[in-house]
Amino acid sequence: ALKQAIRYSYYSNRVVVVLPKEHIKSAKSNINIFTELNVGLWIFDKNGNQLEKLYTPRFHKPKDYRTKEKIINLLKKKFKFL
């Protein structure tokens, strides 16, 4: 999930990994990596239908603004709602 989040950071203003409560142990013990990379880490508890925010990333400019614009334009064409 962290690798995917890092890829998304190239064209996103904020990236958050949301993991089910039962799969959080390893990520939680390495939260320093998430904070250093400015990738959020949240826990979702489906039984309690709750979201716990361990770390919420700062807003940032995408690393590749042109890719962001390209993706937005593709979504506009495909879904015709933006």
Side-chain angles (χ1 to χ4, degrees):
L2 184 56
K3 284 182 184 179
Q4 185 176 9
I6 292 167
R7 279 195 311 268
Y8 287 174
S9 72
Y10 280 86
Y11 49 85
S12 301
N13 297 103
R14 255 184 222 183
V15 181
V16 176
V17 171
V18 181
L19 294 174
K21 188 175 182 178
E22 57 272 10
H23 297 290
I24 196 68
K25 188 176 181 178
S26 177
K28 192 173 183 179
S29 66
N30 291 293
I31 194 164
N32 60 316
I33 295 171
F34 287 83
T35 58
E36 286 174 22
L37 295 172
N38 196 36
V39 173
L41 180 60
W42 297 357
I43 303 170
F44 180 68
D45 179 4
K46 65 180 177 182
N47 295 327
N49 199 29
Q50 294 181 336
L51 188 65
E52 180 183 352
K53 299 174 183 178
L54 298 177
Y55 172 70
T56 299
R58 298 176 313 277
F59 184 87
H60 64 86
K61 292 182 179 179
K63 295 174 184 168
D64 185 348
Y65 191 78
R66 289 190 327 178
T67 301
K68 178 184 177 179
E69 290 300 310
K70 184 177 178 180
I71 290 169
I72 289 172
N73 288 329
L74 287 170
L75 290 171
K76 282 181 181 179
K77 289 178 185 176
K78 182 168 179 106
F79 295 105
K80 299 176 184 152
F81 67 91
L82 297 175

